[in-house]
Amino acid sequence: MAVERSVLNRSFPGLNPITYGDERCDPGHSYGYASREYYLIHYIMSGCGTFARGGVTYSLHRGCMFLIRPGELTFYQADEKTPWEYIWIGFDGALCPSLLRSSGFTDDVCWRDVPQASSLFEELRSIPDRRPSTELSLCSLLYGLFSILCSQDASPRTPRDYVARTSDYIRANYALPISIESIASMLGIDRRYLSRIFLRETGVTPKEFLVRVRLNRAAELLETSSCTVTETARSVGYDDVYNFSKIFKKKYGISPAHYRQRLFSRKTEKDD
């Protein structure tokens, strides 16, 4: 018997729950060959059955989950002797492709054996529907599921991954007294290796990238906020305002004070 629950489509941009429910299937119960507009994951709580996709049939058991992608035609059937019971959740959102890839669901992979996700799906089944919190709770559990799946990925990090992590760390922490040595230590790699692969991937060194991020943000603050030059310098990671002004002038050709004054003059001329 299937128990399907009501979901309000809130159109969350990143990860958006569409449907959820559970079913204790009768022996031989089957479903398939129906196209959907969203991703759908089934998690097998007990029993076993088969899942067919792209001409290949997989025998799945308790602790396995299988993924159906948007527009995909699949077929799945409960075992005649020990029919499965599963919990499902459907979702869409802009983050789905990247989250699924990082979770091991590549184009050639449509199922995973994840027994440690059992308690998470039990929690999912207990989420009451038609509540203001329903969709947020479902979204939280989806992120939890992807966290479990990603933790199983033991593949080595690539240079591109190290570069992406370095770039994101700098964008998030440019206001702090960070160094390339500290970033390399955090990533567990040699500083010279980090500098080499960063330069190869981006065309600039990590230090040059850090300066670029800081100065771009400084220019934004001078344009859009009431921060003084000293406050701007400290906001982007420079305690020495004179050093900040020197570096700023090297990039923009004028001092921070003149930069702001020129913007103010242009605004005044425009208003007149």
Side-chain angles (χ1 to χ4, degrees), residues 2 20 31 40 45 90 98 133 173 176 188 208 225-227 246 265:
Y20 75 116
Y31 188 87
L40 183 63
M45 301 299 294
S98 61
S133 61
N173 298 280
L176 301 177
E208 289 169 340
S225 76
S226 59
C227 290
K246 179 180 178 181
S265 300

Side-chain angles (χ1 to χ4, degrees), residues 83-94:
W84 54 21
E85 175 190 9
Y86 49 57
I87 299 172
W88 74 80
I89 182 165
F91 53 94
D92 61 13

Side-chain angles (χ1 to χ4, degrees), residues 1-5 20-26 29 86 88:
M1 177 180 177
V3 178
E4 188 158 10
R5 295 169 176 83
Y20 75 116
D22 61 90
E23 182 171 9
R24 185 181 296 274
C25 297
D26 294 329
H29 172 75
Y86 49 57
W88 74 80

